[in-house]
Amino acid sequence: MRKINKIGLYALTALLSFSCSEHLDVKPYGRTIPKTAEEFSALLHTHLNRIDRGEDRLLVGSASTTALFDAGLGDDFEVSLTEAGSSLKNYVGDYFNTAREDYGYLYQVIRDCNIVLSEMKESGTEISDKVKATAYAMRGVAYYQLMRLFCEAPQKGQYDNQLGVPLVTTFDIEERPLRSSLRETIDRIAEDLSRSAAYGMNDDIYRFTHDAVRAYQARFYLWTEQWQQALDIARELLAKHPLLERQAYADMMNTAFDLKGNQLIKANRLLSESGNSGTVSTTEASIKKRPVSKRFLDAFDDAEKTTDIRYSLSVNPKRLVIKKFFCGARAAELKLIEAECCYHLGDEAGALTAINDLRARRIDNYVPLTAATLTPAKDTERIGQDALGNTLTPLMATILRERRKELFFECDRFFELKRNGSPEFWTAYEGLKYTTRKYMYALPIPAYDTELVKGLVQNPGYETVGQ
């Protein structure tokens, strides 16, 4: 259990707000600001505790986030077969109202990190270094999530022309900034995560340890198509946190709340199987009302449905998900990053070796894939192009297929759809047709911000639509 000083935390309660623009208008005006590093740490621990209690939605994630993005917004679950009484979203358009709250929450995190980084005078002590490392990490992750949700997927060579998000890095600010370019947003995230990693902070109570931050860097560099940087970090972390063999992997994935195996960061760590997990239980009940899609099941060939341990850990014969909630980062994702980066850097042999390394630890009596035995993407697949807009080759299709199997129900699929072409598709439920349009992958900036901040540009597709 955390032991933190709450002094200063209560003094800042009046500063809480819900929108970016409200946050940008906040100034101290005589309110009490924490003075010691311990007091400033309390401000960050409010958010860290939310992660541990499964109440955070976007820094690390939660059960409800997984249900939203995987069962509601992606294509791994079958909306049309949902049982009556489900509270799950049916498509991305159902998320727009909630997205306004998530937008505001992420800027709350940024605001609190700015208070720490702008106002904390204590420096060079062990605790001040830990607090600064955590603040940089959380701010970088918050901007990373804002970018993934509210910006278009990066287009190589176009970052200076694509819209980013409003950037604010100080607490005492007069103006309300307009949206930056995507390049400026990318640079902000890169600097924050790099500054955090430079501290080498490894106190687990702050959760965003050095290796956890490095994992977020690998994700960020993959998302922004900086292949060599992502590859270098993935290999660095894999050397320290290697892949697990079948049984050890199964034991890790069946451990719901404790950090185990090669997991680097994880939500829900103050919950337990015996109690205090109401949010997880409620979400588990809801998720049972929506079957897993045949498209996901077909990612496994007939033999793999018996030999691949991921299949038996993910779904039961009734097509209901049985995989434990995992919200965080772990080594297998880094192996998949290694494979994709090798591919885009022209090292197809390295990409295939990485995929075989992963599959050998998941499939019983595994026979390695070769260039000749790779299978192309199925016609039923929603993703038909890679992150650069190229038609999928059999190797790239295999990499994406393995990612889909490995990271199933880990809040990844919607973002994979977005990153790889943002395909349009529709589903039906109770006589209504729900269509995910290409523009919808970049969520609308909340209307209260676009109306208040003159010149704040809305995302394409929403200009005349109230949110």
Side-chain angles (χ1 to χ4, degrees):
M1 185 68 67
R2 299 178 184 281
K3 294 182 179 179
I4 58 173
N5 193 323
K6 301 293 185 183
I7 299 173
L9 175 61
Y10 301 122
L12 286 163
T13 300
L15 299 181
L16 294 177
S17 59
F18 287 94
S19 81
C20 171
S21 56
E22 287 172 343
H23 157 60
L24 298 180
D25 199 32
V26 168
K27 290 175 62 67
Y29 294 127
R31 292 184 175 91
T32 302
I33 299 294
K35 290 181 171 51
T36 69
E38 185 180 17
E39 292 170 3
F40 278 102
S41 76
L43 195 60
L44 301 183
H45 277 288
T46 59
H47 301 294
L48 296 173
N49 284 338
R50 287 172 65 92
I51 293 169
D52 284 351
R53 293 195 301 265
E55 297 169 359
D56 162 68
R57 288 178 62 84
L58 291 170
L59 291 182
V60 178
S62 65
S64 61
T65 311
T66 305
L68 167 66
F69 284 101
D70 283 23
L73 277 57
D75 66 340
D76 280 344
F77 288 75
E78 203 61 75
V79 172
S80 62
L81 299 180
T82 306
E83 293 182 15
S86 168
S87 61
L88 297 172
K89 306 296 186 186
N90 293 323
Y91 84 128
V92 66
D94 289 340
Y95 174 50
F96 290 166
N97 286 336
T98 307
R100 294 185 300 178
E101 300 172 8
D102 289 343
Y103 183 88
Y105 173 66
L106 288 169
Y107 274 105
Q108 287 181 37
V109 173
I110 291 166
R111 178 209 57 214
D112 290 350
C113 293
N114 288 342
I115 292 172
V116 171
L117 296 171
S118 298
E119 304 297 324
M120 187 174 71
K121 306 305 180 186
E122 184 176 337
S123 179
T125 64
E126 182 178 359
I127 186 170
S128 68
D129 284 353
K130 291 176 181 178
V131 172
K132 286 181 180 179
T134 307
Y136 278 122
M138 291 171 60
R139 189 172 73 180
V141 171
Y143 276 126
Y144 165 69
Q145 298 291 30
L146 283 166
M147 175 184 66
R148 291 208 303 167
L149 288 168
F150 295 96
C151 300
E152 294 176 336
Q155 299 173 30
K156 200 169 186 65
Q158 297 297 316
Y159 300 163
D160 292 324
N161 300 319
Q162 290 184 275
L163 285 171
V165 297
L167 298 176
V168 55
T169 57
T170 60
F171 174 52
D172 188 358
I173 187 169
E174 293 289 351
E175 76 277 9
R176 300 182 177 95
L178 302 179
R179 294 181 70 172
S180 65
S181 69
L182 184 58
R183 172 72 66 188
E184 291 168 325
T185 297
I186 288 170
D187 289 346
R188 174 76 272 146
I189 299 165
E191 182 176 344
D192 279 351
L193 294 181
S194 293
R195 285 192 174 190
S196 177
Y199 282 96
M201 198 275 291
N202 284 309
D203 187 344
D204 185 54
I205 197 172
Y206 290 94
R207 301 313 189 217
F208 288 91
T209 61
H210 175 266
D211 287 358
V213 172
R214 293 293 275 168
Y216 274 99
Q217 285 182 298
R219 287 174 167 176
F220 159 70
Y221 285 128
L222 180 77
W223 184 266
T224 55
E225 302 169 350
Q226 299 180 70
W227 312 120
Q228 190 63 57
Q229 292 93 321
L231 177 61
D232 291 344
I233 295 172
R235 285 178 168 169
E236 168 199 316
L237 291 175
L238 285 165
K240 298 170 66 176
H241 308 278
L243 296 177
L244 301 178
E245 302 298 333
R246 282 169 55 90
Q247 191 53 54
Y249 162 76
D251 292 343
M252 175 181 71
M253 298 309 295
N254 282 324
T255 301
F257 304 120
D258 296 327
L259 195 70
K260 187 166 179 142
N262 55 33
Q263 296 169 346
L264 303 178
I265 188 170
K266 188 175 188 177
N268 302 329
R269 290 176 63 184
L270 289 185
L271 304 183
S272 67
E273 295 284 4
S274 59
N276 199 28
S277 57
T279 302
V280 172
S281 298
T282 300
T283 308
E284 284 178 339
S286 181
I287 211 76
K288 299 298 184 187
K289 295 181 179 293
R290 181 166 292 174
V292 174
S293 72
K294 187 175 183 298
R295 289 179 301 279
F296 170 74
L297 301 182
D298 287 345
F300 299 84
D301 64 30
D302 290 342
E304 289 172 352
K305 290 176 181 177
T306 301
T307 60
D308 193 327
I309 194 170
R310 294 172 295 188
Y311 190 87
S312 60
L313 288 175
S314 297
V315 63
N316 68 16
K318 295 182 179 180
R319 285 174 54 181
L320 299 179
V321 64
I322 57 174
K323 185 175 181 178
K324 297 282 188 182
F325 285 105
F326 173 73
C327 309
R330 56 188 180 86
E333 182 180 353
L334 299 166
K335 180 58 71 173
L336 290 158
I337 290 174
E338 178 185 13
E340 183 167 349
C341 290
C342 282
Y343 176 88
H344 286 300
L345 290 168
D347 181 10
E348 295 192 1
L352 186 54
T353 296
I355 287 299
N356 278 323
D357 285 348
L358 177 62
R359 285 170 57 84
R361 290 165 174 81
R362 302 292 183 262
I363 299 174
D364 196 25
N365 297 318
Y366 180 62
V367 177
L369 295 172
T370 67
T373 59
L374 294 172
T375 57
K378 294 181 171 64
D379 292 339
T380 55
E381 275 289 337
R382 297 264 162 78
I383 294 177
Q385 64 181 60
D386 65 20
L388 299 181
N390 300 316
T391 301
L392 295 184
T393 64
L395 178 54
M396 192 66 226
T398 300
I399 293 170
L400 295 181
R401 190 180 306 124
E402 289 302 313
R403 185 180 181 101
R404 186 178 194 178
K405 291 188 285 187
E406 183 70 30
L407 300 183
F408 169 71
F409 207 48
E410 296 186 23
C411 207
D412 185 70
R413 182 62 180 174
F414 172 77
F415 297 102
E416 278 300 281
L417 291 168
K418 178 173 181 174
R419 192 171 67 89
N420 294 284
S422 301
E424 296 192 348
F425 63 95
W426 64 271
T427 188
Y429 181 61
E430 293 188 336
L432 297 176
K433 180 179 178 180
Y434 300 89
T435 302
T436 296
R437 303 293 185 188
K438 190 179 183 70
Y439 75 88
M440 291 180 170
Y441 286 92
L443 302 173
I445 302 296
Y448 45 62
D449 272 18
T450 58
E451 292 171 0
L452 181 64
V453 182
K454 185 177 181 180
L456 187 66
V457 179
Q458 181 59 275
N459 282 324
Y462 307 105
E463 297 91 340
T464 59
V465 180
Q467 297 95 50

